[in-house]
Amino acid sequence: MKNNINRVVLVGTGYVGASYAFAMLNQGLAEELVLVDLNKDKAEGDAMDLCHGLPFVSTPTKIWFGDYSDCKDADIVVITAGANQKPGETRLDLVEKNTNIFKGIVSEVMKSGFDGIFMVATNPVDILTYATWKFSGLPKHRIIGSGTILDTARFRFLLSDYFSIDPRNVHAYIIGEHGDTELPVWSNANIGLKHISEFIEENENYAHEDLENIFVNVRDAAYQIINKKGATYYGIAMGLARLTKAILNNENSILTISAHLDGQYGESDVYIGVPAVINRDGIREIIELEISEDEKKKFKYSASVLKDIIKSANL
Ligand code: NAD
């Protein structure tokens, strides 16, 4: 870390990036926020627009439209830039396209002398987090993907809605790929200190059969939102702001993010969504849960899907 001023550089000021910048400003999380985008007009316009809200914030923040040289003194570089899947394109086409975009972005960031933490949200996020690790040459614990932070938030919200309990008291995780092979960790899903199956057994209004539906709604939430409004951005932006806060405030908070595994959950050489302790150094440690045999099988499958993509992308 270069000085006592917290600086975050955001690369990619599209829907997700701009929403993140707005959340950062409203929560007063960084003293300096720099916006970078290939579309310079968009980034410059966003910086101007956000600056006009400064008289109304509780914590002063300096925001400007910048370039990669600003990464030198940054604590965190957040990447939300990239291409979206177009009709007729396969997922692998998108991997190739965004991997190439990331090669350019990460090399520009590293050229500045950056020595902080990368946060990645661009999809497919687990693959691009792995690519960022490879391209940057930085230690694994300083590369963090948003992973299943959003899926876990959706899960906690839907469970809180079903059981009518504050989502902040729902402790339940989605792990695995941020995508179709992700899985809910029912074996460790608690409300307060009580396992959710106890809630179900004690109240005839609840049923185990409803749980599968809740998970399907979590897994398919992005498709539902994209069908309705074209993109999802507020939830992930708030998740990224939460992650930023955990890093800058050295919180040692547990969040489900995409982390590099070195034998945890029986896997290695893959970035995948797991609960981890996050602080000023990045990923302090991965929390290895006791999960059921069925969950182990599903997690293994999810990791194998990611590893196959990593292999075919030659990362
Ligand atoms: P968007 O198209 O609105 O924004 C992308 C931005 O990236 C654009 O402003 C574009 O100009 C910029 N960009 C493209 N190439 C660049 C380059 N080489 N250098 C700098 N900037 C460049 O897209 P969006 O809706 O903001 O989504 C961004 C990404 O976030 C997508 O990959 C999307 O799938 C992903 N996303 C992830 C999650 C998650 O949970 N991880 C959730 C929602 C969206």
Side-chain angles (χ1 to χ4, degrees):
M1 305 299 158
K2 306 283 183 238
N3 52 35
N4 292 329
I5 307 249
N6 285 326
R7 177 183 293 182
V8 175
V9 175
L10 168 67
V11 183
T13 60
Y15 285 115
V16 174
S19 307
Y20 167 73
F22 188 58
M24 287 286 292
L25 199 59
N26 277 303
Q27 295 182 42
L29 298 182
E31 287 147 300
E32 296 182 343
L33 179 61
V34 188
L35 308 186
V36 177
D37 197 291
L38 193 62
N39 180 346
K40 293 188 172 160
D41 283 343
K42 169 78 169 91
E44 194 169 7
D46 274 330
M48 288 168 69
D49 199 356
L50 289 164
C51 279
H52 300 162
L54 288 177
F56 311 119
V57 300
S58 51
T59 311
T61 308
K62 203 174 153 199
I63 307 166
W64 69 93
F65 150 66
D67 57 40
Y68 288 105
S69 66
D70 291 307
C71 297
K72 182 175 186 300
D73 293 325
D75 299 283
I76 306 175
V77 168
V78 182
I79 312 181
T80 60
N84 277 325
Q85 205 163 340
K86 302 278 180 307
E89 267 186 345
T90 66
R91 204 151 151 239
L92 266 180
D93 290 335
L94 188 67
V95 170
E96 201 180 320
K97 222 188 235 182
N98 278 341
T99 303
N100 284 332
I101 290 176
F102 266 54
K103 209 175 258 172
I105 292 174
V106 174
S107 96
E108 287 296 324
V109 172
M110 295 312 292
K111 250 194 257 166
S112 74
F114 174 68
D115 194 25
I117 293 170
F118 271 107
M119 265 169 58
V120 178
T122 307
N123 279 320
V125 69
D126 302 290
I127 305 299
L128 292 171
T129 308
Y130 187 96
T132 302
W133 169 52
K134 286 284 168 175
F135 297 152
S136 68
L138 289 175
K140 294 161 191 163
H141 67 277
R142 284 210 258 136
I143 316 293
I144 310 177
S146 57
T148 47
I149 199 168
L150 174 60
D151 318 73
T152 292
R154 287 171 174 155
F155 192 40
R156 290 172 64 195
F157 164 70
L158 290 175
L159 287 170
S160 85
D161 198 39
Y162 183 71
F163 290 106
S164 298
I165 301 270
D166 186 334
R168 293 169 299 180
N169 294 121
V170 176
H171 302 288
Y173 298 140
I174 299 288
I175 60 172
E177 173 203 10
H178 169 61
D180 296 342
T181 67
E182 67 187 27
L183 59 132
V185 187
W186 292 120
S187 59
N188 287 267
N190 293 299
I191 293 176
L193 284 179
K194 221 163 151 163
H195 193 271
I196 57 166
S197 34
E198 286 182 57
F199 277 84
I200 293 173
E201 277 142 31
E202 285 167 9
N203 188 325
E204 60 184 22
N205 293 323
Y206 303 137
H208 280 285
E209 298 71 59
D210 294 338
L211 296 184
E212 183 54 23
N213 225 357
I214 288 176
F215 168 61
V216 168
N217 279 326
V218 169
R219 192 195 53 207
D220 298 345
Y223 297 115
Q224 292 170 16
I225 298 171
I226 288 167
N227 276 341
K228 287 179 193 294
K229 63 171 210 170
T232 83
Y233 35 94
Y234 297 131
I236 183 59
M238 290 171 79
L240 292 172
R242 176 69 192 90
L243 190 49
T244 306
K245 185 166 162 270
I247 296 168
L248 294 179
N249 294 350
N250 198 29
E251 285 183 3
N252 292 306
S253 286
I254 298 176
L255 297 164
T256 44
I257 47 82
S258 191
H260 187 278
L261 298 190
D262 278 308
Q264 298 92 341
Y265 295 94
E267 296 297 334
S268 50
D269 203 30
V270 66
Y271 269 86
I272 188 164
V274 284
V277 180
I278 305 297
N279 68 17
R280 187 89 202 180
D281 288 331
I283 301 169
R284 190 189 83 188
E285 67 183 87
I286 288 157
I287 305 283
E288 211 169 347
L289 300 167
E290 283 278 333
I291 57 176
S292 70
E293 287 308 313
D294 181 51
E295 288 161 357
K296 278 183 196 163
K297 237 187 270 162
K298 287 178 175 155
F299 187 81
K300 194 176 174 53
Y301 175 66
S302 191
S304 76
V305 166
L306 290 173
K307 283 177 171 176
D308 285 349
I309 300 173
I310 288 169
K311 205 163 156 202
S312 46
N314 288 321
L315 289 169

